[in-house]
Amino acid sequence: MDSIIDKETREIFRAEIEALIEKDSKYISLGPDEIQAIVNAFDFTLTNGKKNVRAQMLYDEILKIKKE
Amino acid sequence: MKLELLRLRNFGCLKQQDYTLTDGVNLIFGPNFSGKSTLVNAIFFSLTGHAIVPRVDIRTMRTPKSNSGTAGIQFVVDDKRYMLFRGTRTQCQLREKVNGEWKIILDEERVNVVEAALKERFGFMRERFALTTFLREGEITEFLERQPATRRDILYTLLGIDQLMDVRECFIDTRRLAKREKARIDSHQNSLRFTEQKNSKNEIEKVENRIKELEASYTDNTGDVELIAEWKKSVKHLKSQLESLKREHREKMTGFQDISKMSEMIENIEKAVKENVGIESERDQLIQKIGSAESQITALSKVCDNLRLLLDKNDGHCPTCQQEVERDVVKRIVEEKENEQANLSTDLKEYKKTLEEMNVTLESRQELEQRLQTLRTNFTRLEQLTQDISKVEKELSTVITRLSERGITEEAENAENEVHSNSALAVNMDKTQLKGQLDNQRKRLQKLKQDEAVQADRLNQLQEVNIQAEKVQNTLLCIELACTGVDKTIETLQRQIMKPAEEELHNWINQMELFGQARIDLLKQHLLPSVNINGEDRSLMLLSGSEKMFLYLCFKVALAKVLGNTSFFVFDDPTLHLDDERKKMMVEFIKQLAKEYQVIVTSYDEDVRSGLEGAHLIEMNRVEEQEVNE
């Protein structure tokens, strides 16, 4: 039986964060690079599981985004 | 999925028996203490490896005076027939019927491995069976008494959202880390903030002019002698300072022609270090692979040993299921496992070799990192030294120019003695006052220049910290967005899955005509805490026993349909405590359900038996009667 968590979940997550950026002005400074980094972090955590992902890894990944 | 046969050996109160199961309704009928609930428990146990009643030790489920008990269930999934045996000592064996012969495809004692294998192959999950497929005695009250948080956890496990909850926790940890980092950088930023002294340059200029004036007066008063002596002293001091700085510069530059070569070397080392970044994680993965391969080899060796023991046994029967051992099949399996073991051993050797190579690479990288650290420190210091040397050279040149304006060049070295001999001429009151003022102004100038340098340095640091703070703020914002995004995703997924479940539940409630206009919000307080009847919220705890029973069964059916039910239901005595009218309703409900699913029901009630006439009947006798019959 396939898990309910699949590709669709990632799409939902992306759509939700895009909607939040639209809705909440405090996220207005975030652009496509940031969205992609957040989605990648989500994907990475979902794929590797809580045991294999440390907060520092996610933090460093997002910190190194270079704004265009 | 369809259940076909239940096979028990020394399980609970039942010693040795096969029970055939068919499509539609299967009624397990018998008086109290005849083993009806044991059969329900046996089906649950053979599918999940756990007792249907929580916190029961499975070892106690064997028949008294026997060493262990076994329950096996035969079922069909996607036109393939399987037999799953479970022992009360956690042994598990899964067989598949291929070309009329049973082939062992899993033989394992480790509970976690079995659970993972069955979940992957058939989607078996204990929580899902317990909440959507089976009904046991006392389950409803127990479920309703649970805290909302516990019901939420059950819901998340059922929906597979527990993985998303893990992601949520990771993001929350990251947010905590980002907040800590932001607080640290804010405090650093505050410590570097200062009020910029815009007039410091003007002030320096003023003091310099004042010194010039005082020097002129002092010269008028004393002649140039003392001033020249001071300048000479200053030249000597500056030269010594310059020498010391140049010496340090030479030391730091040892091994390099110039600073650009050093910079080039730093770049090369950085490149080499960068190429080997991530080697630790590769090494960790390799270590995990080695561990996994070693444990697989051990497990395979154990399986081979067990199978060889089975082959060596004289009676030719399996000790777990008592079936005759297919010697050829077992021999073939042994060969396959041995081949697999040999392949794994080869892989293991390769892994170990690669690990050794990686260790060597890692050591050289660490050495390079140390060298890089030293070079970077030297490089920074050299830059500082170059600036300092240029500054001192400039000052020295200024003083030498002043001396040369007064015709003093080479003689400067010998002038010290003259200063002492001539100084007596300059002793008077005005001269002392002027000297004092001159010294004060010079000190003031020095202080102002130092302040200016400190200010410039702090400004540089502050600019760097501001850039860093902006990045951290951006990161924190991203992580906050991610946290909220995960929460929203969980909500959306729940809504997507639970809304159809609610619709299904409402269909069944309406079909049963239990209440008037009843609406249930499964997401509110997480699963079934209350029902809205004709616009009024009522706790399920306050409904009558029969209403609770019907509602709970409808809830199970609805949830099962949405989550992809295994196509059967097992209800242990659902008509218990129901009056005649409600009993009839329950019988109708079961019949209705049996049109779509296989339903296994237990009962001791003759009315239920007659109501379910035509159902496949499994008649049970009291345990004492069974023993007498034997």
Side-chain angles (χ1 to χ4, degrees):
Chain A
M1 190 187 293
D2 289 334
S3 170
I4 290 166
I5 306 297
D6 53 12
K7 211 174 90 184
E8 198 189 340
T9 311
R10 290 163 176 96
E11 295 304 319
I12 293 173
F13 177 72
R14 181 185 276 275
E16 290 294 349
I17 58 169
E18 281 172 351
L20 279 165
I21 292 174
E22 287 279 309
K23 212 167 88 180
D24 197 335
S25 59
K26 82 169 174 177
Y27 300 122
I28 205 154
S29 60
L30 304 180
D33 291 342
E34 280 88 350
I35 294 176
Q36 194 52 50
I38 294 167
V39 174
N40 289 348
F42 176 80
D43 202 17
F44 180 74
T45 318
L46 202 60
T47 313
N48 293 289
K50 194 174 123 187
K51 282 181 191 166
N52 302 312
V53 179
R54 281 174 294 138
Q56 189 69 49
M57 288 159 84
L58 296 181
Y59 177 81
D60 290 343
E61 274 306 303
I62 296 174
L63 186 72
K64 73 181 182 193
I65 310 167
K66 279 182 187 160
K67 276 186 152 262
E68 279 176 4
Chain B
M1 177 176 172
K2 185 190 148 194
L3 306 182
E4 288 189 331
L5 180 80
L6 179 66
R7 174 168 291 172
L8 302 184
R9 300 283 179 275
N10 297 328
F11 191 87
C13 58
L14 304 166
K15 284 196 174 166
Q16 186 159 339
Q17 186 76 43
D18 284 358
Y19 301 91
T20 311
L21 300 165
T22 62
D23 282 337
V25 183
N26 292 266
L27 176 64
I28 303 170
F29 185 81
N32 289 334
F33 199 47
S34 58
K36 300 189 296 296
S37 297
T38 306
L39 286 191
V40 171
N41 192 22
I43 300 173
F44 189 84
F45 172 69
S46 53
L47 291 168
T48 66
H50 292 268
I52 194 165
V53 181
R55 293 175 291 281
V56 168
D57 183 355
I58 58 163
R59 285 172 298 186
T60 62
M61 296 199 300
R62 61 186 162 75
T63 307
K65 294 179 189 168
S66 65
N67 287 329
S68 68
T70 313
I73 190 98
Q74 185 177 310
F75 56 91
V76 179
V77 174
D78 297 334
D79 295 329
K80 287 181 183 166
R81 187 159 280 108
Y82 298 92
M83 191 83 197
L84 178 61
F85 286 106
R86 301 260 195 180
T88 53
R89 287 178 172 177
T90 75
Q91 321 91 299
C92 176
Q93 200 177 76
L94 176 69
R95 298 171 189 180
E96 184 183 352
K97 202 162 196 177
V98 184
N99 300 327
E101 282 186 15
W102 286 108
K103 188 184 168 193
I104 299 170
I105 50 175
L106 177 76
D107 193 353
E108 183 61 66
E109 283 187 11
R110 288 169 298 173
V111 178
N112 291 346
V113 176
V114 172
E115 274 189 17
L118 294 177
K119 187 179 174 187
E120 195 187 336
R121 190 179 271 265
F122 306 117
F124 285 2
M125 274 170 73
R126 177 161 60 121
E127 296 84 359
R128 198 171 279 189
F129 276 128
L131 195 67
T132 67
T133 308
F134 285 76
L135 173 77
R136 64 177 167 81
E137 197 192 335
E139 184 186 322
I140 304 173
T141 320
E142 202 180 289
F143 180 79
L144 294 174
E145 278 173 351
R146 279 185 172 142
Q147 292 296 316
T150 319
R151 285 203 300 271
R152 182 200 59 200
D153 290 345
I154 295 173
L155 177 66
Y156 288 165
T157 310
L158 285 177
L159 303 184
I161 286 178
D162 44 351
Q163 288 177 45
L164 270 180
M165 293 308 288
D166 284 352
V167 177
R168 185 176 181 271
E169 267 183 51
C170 277
F171 278 143
I172 288 173
D173 285 347
T174 315
R175 182 172 61 188
R176 206 172 291 134
L177 181 78
K179 279 186 177 170
R180 231 176 13 237
E181 191 59 17
K182 173 132 189 356
R184 188 189 67 77
I185 210 128
D186 281 352
S187 128
H188 192 191
Q189 221 174 0
N190 286 336
S191 74
L192 289 172
R193 275 195 188 116
F194 58 93
T195 319
E196 205 179 342
Q197 294 167 359
K198 284 182 184 167
N199 54 354
S200 64
K201 281 210 168 117
N202 295 338
E203 190 69 18
I204 288 172
E205 213 172 297
K206 266 188 198 171
V207 174
E208 277 174 344
N209 289 337
R210 177 74 185 136
I211 287 171
K212 271 182 194 166
E213 281 170 18
L214 284 168
E215 278 176 352
S217 313
Y218 191 63
T219 313
D220 291 346
N221 223 331
T222 62
D224 282 346
V225 180
E226 279 212 3
L227 189 62
I228 288 166
E230 267 184 45
W231 286 346
K232 283 175 183 171
K233 209 171 158 187
S234 180
V235 166
K236 200 177 173 188
H237 172 71
L238 286 169
K239 274 184 177 172
S240 125
Q241 204 180 347
L242 191 62
E243 184 52 39
S244 147
L245 287 169
K246 280 184 174 170
R247 197 184 312 119
E248 196 184 342
H249 192 273
R250 275 197 301 277
E251 280 165 12
K252 297 281 176 200
M253 279 297 290
T254 315
F256 295 96
Q257 286 175 346
D258 55 47
I259 200 158
S260 65
K261 296 279 175 197
M262 184 186 272
S263 167
E264 208 175 293
M265 172 69 94
I266 289 173
E267 272 176 29
N268 288 340
I269 296 178
E270 275 174 344
K271 207 172 157 191
V273 168
K274 212 172 177 181
E275 275 168 12
N276 285 317
V277 160
I279 198 166
E280 283 97 337
S281 61
E282 278 176 34
R283 188 168 152 266
D284 288 348
Q285 280 172 5
L286 198 62
I287 291 170
Q288 276 180 4
K289 272 187 185 172
I290 290 172
S292 156
E294 280 173 348
S295 62
Q296 279 182 53
I297 289 170
T298 317
L300 280 169
S301 148
K302 207 174 164 188
V303 169
C304 288
D305 289 349
N306 285 340
L307 290 171
R308 276 193 213 102
L309 269 177
L310 198 63
L311 285 172
D312 294 345
K313 263 184 89 75
N314 292 331
D315 62 0
H317 283 84
C318 171
T320 312
C321 63
Q322 305 300 329
Q323 288 207 343
E324 198 179 333
V325 174
E326 297 282 347
R327 297 183 69 84
D328 291 341
V329 175
V330 176
K331 272 181 189 168
R332 206 168 58 239
I333 293 169
V334 171
E335 275 171 24
E336 278 171 16
K337 299 282 174 197
E338 279 171 348
N339 284 341
E340 207 178 320
Q341 197 178 350
N343 290 341
L344 276 169
S345 302
T346 319
D347 289 348
L348 187 63
K349 272 183 197 163
E350 279 295 313
Y351 292 157
K352 284 187 174 168
K353 199 177 156 194
T354 319
L355 182 65
E356 273 173 28
E357 286 167 7
M358 273 187 175
N359 283 338
V360 173
T361 318
L362 196 63
E363 271 175 31
S364 6
R365 200 198 75 189
Q366 282 164 349
E367 278 170 19
L368 276 177
E369 279 173 342
Q370 277 178 3
R371 172 88 178 121
L372 183 65
Q373 183 65 30
T374 318
L375 281 175
R376 276 181 181 153
T377 317
N378 285 352
F379 188 77
T380 318
R381 180 66 191 141
L382 276 169
E383 281 181 332
Q384 183 66 40
L385 280 170
T386 313
Q387 278 180 20
D388 290 351
I389 287 170
S390 132
K391 205 171 145 189
V392 173
E393 278 175 345
K394 203 173 160 190
E395 273 185 55
L396 187 62
S397 146
T398 313
V399 181
I400 288 172
T401 315
R402 282 180 185 177
L403 280 168
S404 63
E405 277 170 6
R406 282 168 173 77
I408 299 163
T409 47
E410 297 297 321
E411 299 93 321
E413 299 296 323
N414 307 317
E416 204 172 337
N417 291 334
E418 288 176 40
V419 172
H420 290 295
S421 58
N422 293 328
S423 61
L425 298 171
V427 180
N428 60 46
M429 236 353 239
D430 290 337
K431 190 192 84 178
T432 316
Q433 276 176 352
L434 273 171
K435 177 87 169 73
Q437 279 182 21
L438 195 57
D439 285 348
N440 284 341
Q441 290 300 324
R442 278 174 182 159
K443 274 181 194 164
R444 199 171 159 210
L445 182 66
Q446 201 179 355
K447 176 88 175 45
L448 280 168
K449 281 188 173 173
Q450 271 176 5
D451 286 351
E452 195 192 25
V454 168
Q455 209 177 43
D457 187 43
R458 285 179 71 154
L459 195 64
N460 280 340
Q461 281 188 49
L462 187 61
Q463 277 166 353
E464 276 173 27
V465 172
N466 283 347
I467 293 167
Q468 193 66 18
E470 202 181 316
K471 278 177 89 176
V472 171
Q473 173 64 36
N474 197 51
T475 307
L476 180 60
L477 200 62
C478 285
I479 296 165
E480 275 176 357
L481 176 64
C483 286
T484 322
V486 173
D487 285 343
K488 292 272 177 197
T489 308
I490 291 171
E491 270 175 36
T492 309
L493 272 173
Q494 282 189 82
R495 216 169 25 247
Q496 277 184 4
I497 300 163
M498 297 312 278
K499 277 292 160 194
E502 272 175 22
E503 290 310 312
E504 185 70 17
L505 178 57
H506 292 144
N507 285 343
W508 278 101
I509 293 172
N510 293 339
Q511 215 170 317
M512 302 292 298
E513 294 176 354
L514 275 174
F515 314 103
Q517 277 295 316
R519 302 297 298 171
I520 291 178
D521 186 347
L522 290 178
L523 283 179
K524 191 178 160 190
Q525 292 182 46
H526 313 290
L527 299 170
L528 213 64
S530 64
V531 53
N532 186 299
I533 301 170
N534 298 327
E536 198 178 319
D537 267 345
R538 284 179 64 190
S539 164
L540 251 71
M541 287 300 258
L542 300 174
L543 297 180
S544 75
S546 63
E547 284 172 332
K548 262 190 284 207
M549 174 62 87
F550 278 109
L551 202 54
Y552 193 68
L553 286 183
C554 291
F555 162 70
K556 265 183 193 290
V557 174
L559 209 55
K561 189 157 189 172
V562 171
L563 294 174
N565 179 268
T566 40
S567 310
F568 67 93
F569 290 99
V570 184
F571 300 150
D572 191 5
D573 219 344
T575 55
L576 191 72
H577 308 310
L578 299 188
D579 62 19
D580 288 347
E581 191 193 334
R582 293 280 157 121
K583 228 183 278 177
K584 277 181 193 162
M585 270 177 76
M586 182 57 79
V587 167
E588 282 310 309
F589 173 76
I590 291 165
K591 281 181 178 172
Q592 193 70 24
L593 202 59
K595 285 180 185 168
E596 209 177 329
Y597 302 98
Q598 184 181 24
V599 187
I600 300 161
V601 188
T602 73
S603 180
Y604 63 86
D605 198 314
E606 282 296 342
D607 292 342
V608 176
R609 182 180 177 160
S610 55
L612 291 173
E613 201 182 350
H616 174 65
L617 188 67
I618 299 170
E619 208 153 354
M620 309 288 286
N621 297 320
R622 267 191 211 284
V623 174
E624 305 94 64
E625 291 167 25
Q626 286 175 23
E627 282 167 0
V628 169
N629 290 341
E630 280 169 17

